[in-house]
């Protein structure tokens, strides 16, 4: 979800991003297309429809489209219909920059929501902030909150690695616990590792070692004996998507799930569905959303019911929910602002209090990080499941608080 997931921006040079932008300018040399409906509110939505996180991206699109449908069913925003313009960023920073520039210059979008990769969202943010276009990121990242990447027009709807690792650690790390790490060697993995290490220091846990692996590693068999030799009480696997499922499966093959607690910073609905329940049984991880919140939260029930009605009884997923909350917050701000005037919408977003799916949320003043609850989930045994989507137990639900964030001063903002 760093919404994970791509090589770090440092590995995709600024020149590469700018080259992508330049390519986009070339494509846009022709006169801009006149909009068929000048009063339509257009929201750009770049996401990696192709690539290893395509399932999560498609879920984001479905939930974002639901948010647009619900707004249009009520008459739109200030009497104007809303349109979602989805573009495939292919999990590539240069591609994302080009597609975003096209959305702004050619399609004349009023704002951009999206991205599933930490590096890709930074590329999108470079394009939008240079043009003073609102961008609501729905990918986990610590970096986008820092002053060097922040702008007045940048909002971060997703959780960040500091939030998820701290929540998971508070449930699983104890004073004296020995923790080993298996880490994907790119921005997402490094930010999650940093968060877990920070939490370990605060809780008195001991870090006994870490091993890095490349993105997309299929075989971890040479790494597992090394991790097991560290004799940890907890194995923290800091990767995403297929990497996560493969790593956990192979740890189980070595019997490590019986010798230590396996934790992950983000426990994904789609990856859990993709493998047998036995693979993830007992794994603990963080999440932004789980459909069974409906038992305690009216907004989750409304979201689930609307989703089921449109998508043949299916339940929304965690990363899918980001598409809904991100677009919904933007539309609420536009409604509050009475239209699409960028400066008025920014002010409305910055002061917005909203609850559309998971309880109260708002954007913190200094960095526009969405302050929100963090779930800690435990994957169920097959025998405990009451339905194919009864995947997890909610073991903790930390209410949103600025105390769970890095301070504004730590992010580089003036105090």
């Amino acid at each position: 979800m760093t919404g994970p997931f791509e090589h770090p921006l440092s590995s995709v040079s600024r020149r590469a991003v700018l080259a992508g932008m330049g390519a986009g300018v070339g494509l846009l040399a022709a006169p801009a297309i006149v909009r068929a409906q000048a009063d339509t509110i257009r929201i750009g939505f770049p996401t990696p429809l192709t690539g290893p996180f395509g399932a999560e991206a498609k879920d984001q699109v479905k939930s974002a489209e639901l948010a647009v449908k619900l707004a249009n069913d009520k008459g739109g925003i200030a009497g104007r219909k809303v349109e979602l313009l989805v573009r495939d960023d292919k999990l590539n920073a240069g591609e994302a920059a080009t597609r975003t520039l096209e959305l702004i210059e050619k399609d004349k979008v009023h704002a951009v929501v999206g991205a599933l990769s930490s590096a890709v969202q930074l590329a999108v943010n470079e394009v939008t902030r240079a043009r003073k276009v609102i961008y609501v990121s729905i990918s986990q990242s610590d970096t986008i909150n820092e002053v060097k990447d922040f702008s007045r027009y940048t909002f971060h709807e997703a959780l960040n690695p500091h939030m998820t690792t701290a929540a998971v650690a508070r449930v699983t790390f104890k004073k004296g616990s020995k923790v080993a790490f298996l880490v994907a060697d790119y921005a997402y993995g490094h930010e999650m590792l940093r968060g877990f290490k920070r939490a370990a220091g605060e809780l008195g846990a001991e870090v006994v070692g870490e091993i890095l692996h490349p993105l997309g590693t299929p075989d971890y068999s040479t790494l597992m004996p090394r991790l097991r030799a560290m004799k940890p009480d907890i194995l923290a696997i800091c990767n995403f998507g297929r990497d996560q499922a493969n790593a956990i499966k192979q740890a189980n093959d070595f019997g490590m799930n019986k010798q230590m607690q396996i934790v992950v910073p983000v426990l994904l609905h789609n990856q859990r569905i993709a493998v047998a329940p036995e693979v993830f049984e007992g794994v603990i991880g963080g999440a932004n959303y789980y459909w069974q919140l409906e038992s305690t939260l009216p907004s989750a029930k409304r979201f689930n019911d609307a989703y089921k009605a449109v998508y043949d009884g299916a339940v929304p997923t965690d990363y899918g929910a980001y598409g809904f909350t991100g677009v919904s917050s933007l539309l609420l701000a536009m409604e509050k602002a009475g239209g699409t005037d960028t400066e008025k919408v920014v002010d409305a977003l910055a002061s917005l209090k909203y609850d559309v799916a998971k309880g109260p949320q708002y954007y913190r003043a200094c960095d526009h990080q969405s302050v929100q609850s963090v779930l800690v989930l435990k994957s169920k045994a097959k025998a405990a499941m009451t339905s194919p989507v009864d995947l997890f137990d909610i073991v903790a639900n930390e209410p949103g608080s600025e105390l769970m964030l890095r301070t504004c001063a730590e992010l580089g903002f003036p105090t």
Side-chain angles (χ1 to χ4, degrees), residues 170-396:
R170 278 192 285 273
V171 169
T172 57
F173 290 15
K174 310 298 179 188
K175 186 174 183 179
S177 295
K178 295 181 178 180
V179 187
F181 296 94
L182 178 64
V183 182
D185 191 11
Y186 68 113
Y188 172 81
H190 289 287
E191 290 189 7
M192 293 298 183
L193 175 62
R194 180 179 67 182
F196 270 135
K197 282 186 169 181
R198 176 171 175 156
E202 293 171 350
L203 296 167
E206 177 188 355
V207 175
V208 295
E210 63 194 60
I211 296 177
L212 303 180
H213 72 81
L215 182 70
T217 296
D219 184 5
Y220 298 86
S221 60
T222 61
L223 306 181
M224 294 305 170
R226 293 169 55 194
L227 290 164
R228 189 169 57 184
M230 298 173 189
K231 298 182 178 179
D233 303 303
I234 298 164
L235 173 61
I237 297 179
C238 300
N239 53 21
F240 190 83
R242 295 174 199 165
D243 285 349
Q244 183 186 92
N246 288 338
I248 292 173
K249 185 178 185 302
Q250 291 177 47
N252 293 350
D253 291 343
F254 279 85
M256 294 167 69
N257 57 328
K258 295 178 172 62
Q259 299 166 346
M260 61 199 71
Q261 175 65 58
I262 296 177
V263 306
V264 293
V266 178
L267 191 54
L268 290 168
H269 180 112
N270 284 338
Q271 292 309 311
R272 167 57 188 79
I273 288 286
V275 299
E278 294 78 11
V279 173
F280 274 83
E281 182 179 338
V283 173
I284 295 174
N288 60 301
Y289 186 78
Y290 180 43
W291 68 271
Q292 288 195 350
L293 280 174
E294 70 178 22
S295 64
T296 56
L297 285 176
S299 59
K301 182 70 164 60
R302 290 193 298 270
F303 173 40
N304 290 346
D305 288 348
Y307 193 95
K308 290 175 184 178
V310 173
Y311 298 115
D312 299 320
V315 298
T317 66
D318 34 42
Y319 264 76
Y322 280 139
F324 185 79
T325 57
V327 171
S328 293
S329 69
L330 175 64
L331 294 178
L332 287 170
M334 287 180 171
E335 188 172 52
K336 184 178 178 181
T340 55
D341 180 277
T342 296
E343 300 305 325
K344 290 180 180 179
V345 176
V346 167
D347 289 340
L349 270 170
S351 62
L352 188 67
K353 309 290 184 183
Y354 59 107
D355 177 2
V356 296
K358 56 172 297 182
Q361 295 181 244
Y362 67 92
Y363 291 105
R364 183 168 67 167
C366 72
D367 62 346
H368 293 170
Q369 167 63 46
S370 178
V371 180
Q372 59 185 286
S373 61
V374 182
L375 298 177
V376 180
L377 308 177
K378 185 173 184 177
S379 192
K380 287 187 171 185
K382 183 177 181 179
M385 295 171 58
T386 59
S387 76
V389 292
D390 181 22
L391 306 176
F392 309 115
D393 286 317
I394 300 174
V395 297

